[in-house]
Amino acid sequence: MTTPEWYLQLLTVSEVLTETDRAEIAAWRGPDAGHTGLDAAGDDVPPLGIRLGALGRQFARRSAEVSPEQRREVLRILEEVQVSGTESDATAVATGFFEALLAAWDRGSDLRSLWPDIGSKSRAYCLTWNEFTDVKTPDWMTG
């Protein structure tokens, strides 16, 4: 699987994301693989949705380590994929990153500060996901 250029760009935004991706690839390959670098040429890497899920969980968990500028850039890149990326990339972003982010919120992470920086297409997906999973959407998500 070749990693999309936008994903590699995403990893350059924050060391938190880079570290997370490296760990996800290492776990995927197993302890005997001996290679833990970032995918550059279609290496053996997890599916994009799984990698994005790991990024979403860490983005929520370690948000204090991500500057406001980095946070906005991450969410801008993801919104761009949602709006103009391939259907499979947009689906991976929605079901990987944003579902992981919402699951972190369900477990107590405060996502209120992130919401203003989430793009309109990504917001719409989050609201639809809440409705689908029968999660009460808080007022700050609809206001």
Side-chain angles (χ1 to χ4, degrees):
M1 170 195 156
T2 301
T3 301
E5 186 60 37
W6 62 264
Y7 187 88
L8 297 174
Q9 180 185 7
L10 189 66
L11 297 180
T12 67
V13 175
S14 167
E15 187 62 29
V16 167
L17 300 181
T18 304
E19 290 171 7
T20 299
D21 196 63
R22 283 188 180 130
E24 192 67 24
I25 290 171
W28 179 265
R29 290 179 178 156
D32 298 329
H35 181 263
T36 60
L38 294 176
D39 168 49
D43 271 319
D44 177 27
V45 294
L48 191 55
I50 290 174
R51 290 171 81 183
L52 284 160
L55 294 186
R57 285 187 298 278
Q58 287 300 321
F59 191 73
R61 186 177 299 133
R62 298 174 61 188
S63 63
E65 298 171 53
V66 179
S67 73
E69 294 80 18
Q70 291 170 321
R71 179 182 69 222
R72 282 190 290 276
E73 181 63 5
V74 165
L75 295 170
R76 184 200 65 76
I77 291 169
L78 295 173
E79 178 70 7
E80 187 175 304
V81 173
Q82 292 281 73
V83 170
S84 59
T86 67
E87 184 177 346
S88 63
D89 285 355
T91 298
V93 166
T95 62
F97 188 89
F98 286 108
E99 286 182 21
L101 203 62
L102 290 171
W105 170 62
D106 289 343
R107 290 188 295 277
S109 289
D110 182 14
L111 302 183
R112 187 179 209 147
S113 64
L114 298 176
W115 193 250
D117 296 324
I118 295 175
S120 60
K121 186 146 183 151
S122 300
R123 280 182 179 203
Y125 181 82
C126 291
L127 294 172
T128 300
W129 183 249
N130 280 352
E131 185 177 322
F132 176 76
T133 57
D134 208 22
V135 171
K136 182 174 176 359
T137 298
D139 291 342
W140 55 264
M141 279 187 169
T142 59

